[in-house]
Amino acid sequence: IATWQWLRQRPLAKIAGHNPLSGYMVLTLILLLSVQFIAGLMTTDEVLTDGPLVALVPSSWVEIASTIHRFNLDLLLVLVAIHVLAALIHQYKGDRLIQPMLTGQQRAELLPVHSNIQFRPVWPFFLIFFCSVIGFYLWQGDTVLPMLLSDLR
């Protein structure tokens, strides 16, 4: 709803950071990167490279994952190009988006006057990540770890 309200404003309100529409684009890109990673674990090019889980899943899954992996790459490239093009258009229109990305400093008039920004603790993320790594190791570590170590040699 906030995205539609923002899009209907004329002129569009200036926002520090991503506007609602580009925020959805960022979430979409993160989701598609996750799909690319997961599909890549079960993908083979049938010539040189196999994902670490190819030997553990049925061949029908490998075929589906390979198809998703190829299609998703094309979709990712198109959406990244659209995102970069939108940033360049905003830069051209005078929104000056690229300088804050490079310098980390935003124009003062875009920052909220009475900002109640509160950062969330980062430890839950690390706890979930650590538990996920341990869970994956317990699930597939005996198979995947030797394959990864043989690739490093």
Side-chain angles (χ1 to χ4, degrees):
I1 294 176
T3 304
W4 291 115
Q5 291 172 348
W6 180 81
L7 281 171
R8 283 187 261 160
Q9 296 175 12
R10 291 295 179 249
L12 294 174
K14 304 262 188 219
I15 296 174
H18 285 93
N19 64 51
L21 193 59
S22 61
Y24 281 118
M25 176 64 93
V26 169
L27 291 176
T28 302
L29 290 172
I30 291 171
L31 174 68
L32 290 177
L33 281 171
S34 301
V35 168
Q36 189 72 3
F37 171 75
I38 292 168
L41 293 174
M42 298 177 279
T43 299
T44 182
D45 64 1
E46 297 178 2
V47 177
L48 184 63
T49 307
D50 289 344
L53 300 181
V54 167
L56 305 174
V57 297
S59 61
S60 60
W61 284 29
V62 172
E63 186 177 328
I64 292 169
S66 297
T67 302
I68 290 171
H69 195 68
R70 284 189 298 274
F71 173 77
N72 194 53
L73 177 63
D74 294 338
L75 184 59
L76 260 169
L77 291 173
V78 167
L79 291 180
V80 166
I82 290 170
H83 195 69
V84 169
L85 183 64
L88 292 173
I89 289 170
H90 279 279
Q91 179 75 18
Y92 177 75
K93 287 183 172 184
D95 291 340
R96 302 181 62 110
L97 296 177
I98 296 175
Q99 287 88 347
M101 282 190 270
L102 297 175
T103 65
Q105 297 180 1
Q106 182 63 274
R107 294 186 318 200
E109 67 267 14
L110 292 180
L111 297 174
V113 177
H114 299 291
S115 179
N116 291 330
I117 296 176
Q118 295 179 348
F119 293 99
R120 293 184 181 190
V122 73
W123 68 265
F125 167 77
F126 286 113
L127 180 65
I128 291 169
F129 179 76
F130 183 70
C131 290
S132 299
V133 168
I134 288 181
F136 184 77
Y137 177 76
L138 293 174
W139 174 51
Q140 293 294 327
D142 295 337
T143 306
V144 175
L145 191 59
M147 288 190 302
L148 291 174
L149 293 176
S150 68
D151 286 345
L152 294 175
R153 293 179 192 160

